[in-house]
Amino acid sequence: MKDIRYDLYRLTKKTDTKTFIKMFVTNRTFRKLYYYRNYYARGIKGIVVKLANHSLSKKLSLSIQPTARIGRGVLFLHPNSITINSGAVIGDNLTMLKGATIGNSKTGKVGAPVIGNNVYIGLNSTVVGGITIGNDVMIAANTFVNFDVPDGALVLGSPGVIHKKEKASAEYIANSIFEMED
C-alpha cells in the first residue's frame, strides 16, 4: 500500500524494501500503522491484520479507530496512550506524541476534528469536538483544544490560546513527505 511508504519515509527518510522489512520487524508502532492501513483487507490477510492490530493496540496503548481517515506520513513519537477517534479526518504529515488524544464530543461542537497538513500535537494534548485545525499548526504539550484553529498557529495552554506564527510546525515536522521524491 502506497500510504505506508510515506509513513516509512517520516520514520527513516527511506522507502526501500529492506528498510520496510527492518521497521516492520523491529518497530511495533510502524507495524501498527501498517495494520491500520490494511485493516479492510479481505480473506486470510484481513483476519490476520485485525488480530494483530488488536493485539498491538493493547501492547502499545495506541488506539486508532479503523474508520478514522488519516493522511500520508504519520509519525508517532513515544506512542503510548495515543487515541484517535473514529470520526477524525487528518491530513498529511501528522506528528503526535505520548498521551495525545484526537477525540469526539457529544456536547458543544459535536463530532470529531478535521485536521490539516503539517500538524504537530504535543505530549498529553487533547483535541476534541467538531472543530477544524488548519495547516502548519503546532499544538504544544498539555494543551486542550475544543475550538477552530487557523493555519500557521501555535496553540498553548489549557484551555488553549492561539498565538499566530508563520508555519508554526515547520521545525517539528521531521522528514516531511512533501520533500520526498516520487
Side-chain angles (χ1 to χ4, degrees), residues 54-170:
H54 181 72
S55 174
L56 269 178
S57 290
K58 287 185 174 195
K59 286 179 185 173
L60 290 172
S61 187
L62 173 58
S63 176
I64 307 170
Q65 297 303 311
T67 54
R69 294 192 328 234
I70 302 175
R72 306 165 304 160
V74 175
L75 183 59
F76 296 126
L77 299 174
H78 309 287
N80 294 331
S81 300
I82 290 176
T83 302
I84 300 177
N85 184 272
S86 62
V89 177
I90 301 167
D92 296 335
N93 281 330
L94 171 71
T95 300
M96 284 181 78
L97 275 70
K98 180 179 180 179
T101 298
I102 298 173
N104 191 356
S105 179
K106 295 184 181 189
T107 61
K109 288 192 172 187
V110 176
V114 174
I115 299 175
N117 296 328
N118 299 323
V119 173
Y120 176 95
I121 301 176
L123 182 76
N124 295 324
S125 292
T126 301
V127 178
V128 295
I131 62 173
T132 300
I133 305 293
N135 297 317
D136 302 310
V137 170
M138 180 184 175
I139 298 171
N142 301 310
T143 298
F144 180 79
V145 181
N146 66 346
F147 50 86
D148 292 340
V149 176
D151 291 349
L154 168 63
V155 186
L156 301 163
S158 185
V161 176
I162 295 174
H163 299 269
K164 197 70 173 153
K165 182 178 178 190
E166 187 75 21
K167 295 186 179 182
S169 66

